[in-house]
Amino acid sequence: MENELNTWIKDTKDKGLKIQLHDNVYGTLIAIFRKDTKKICVCEVDNTYTFYEAEINSTDWKSATYIPVEILKNL
């Protein structure tokens, strides 16, 4: 049985929210996934998913360097 503390937790409470990603680029929030000290934000921009990552208590989002398969399976 997989330990719940080691899985990505999906949060969709703000789904549909328009957010500014950078400069004049806006996206629609799909979900935020949290695990340990990291979080990954999934946004839709022009019918394409974009992924950003940050430390759990930070709002300093950067382009994600990798996307865990577990997140992709739960979109």
Side-chain angles (χ1 to χ4, degrees):
M1 185 170 162
E2 191 170 353
N3 185 345
E4 282 188 31
L5 297 176
N6 291 328
T7 61
W8 287 92
I9 299 168
K10 183 178 182 179
D11 178 359
T12 59
K13 71 178 178 185
D14 293 323
K15 184 176 180 175
L17 184 68
K18 292 281 188 187
I19 58 174
Q20 184 173 4
L21 301 171
H22 50 84
D23 298 328
N24 291 323
V25 177
Y26 289 84
T28 302
L29 182 66
I30 302 300
I32 295 176
F33 290 84
R34 293 178 175 83
K35 179 180 178 183
D36 300 328
T37 61
K38 294 278 188 191
K39 58 186 175 182
I40 294 180
C41 173
V42 184
C43 292
E44 184 178 349
V45 178
D46 297 329
N47 295 319
T48 302
Y49 285 145
T50 58
F51 300 86
Y52 295 88
E53 63 185 354
E55 295 297 318
I56 201 74
N57 293 319
S58 174
T59 57
D60 185 26
W61 295 95
K62 298 176 183 170
S63 291
T65 55
Y66 73 94
I67 312 303
V69 172
E70 182 180 354
I71 288 176
L72 297 173
K73 287 181 178 180
N74 285 298
L75 286 175

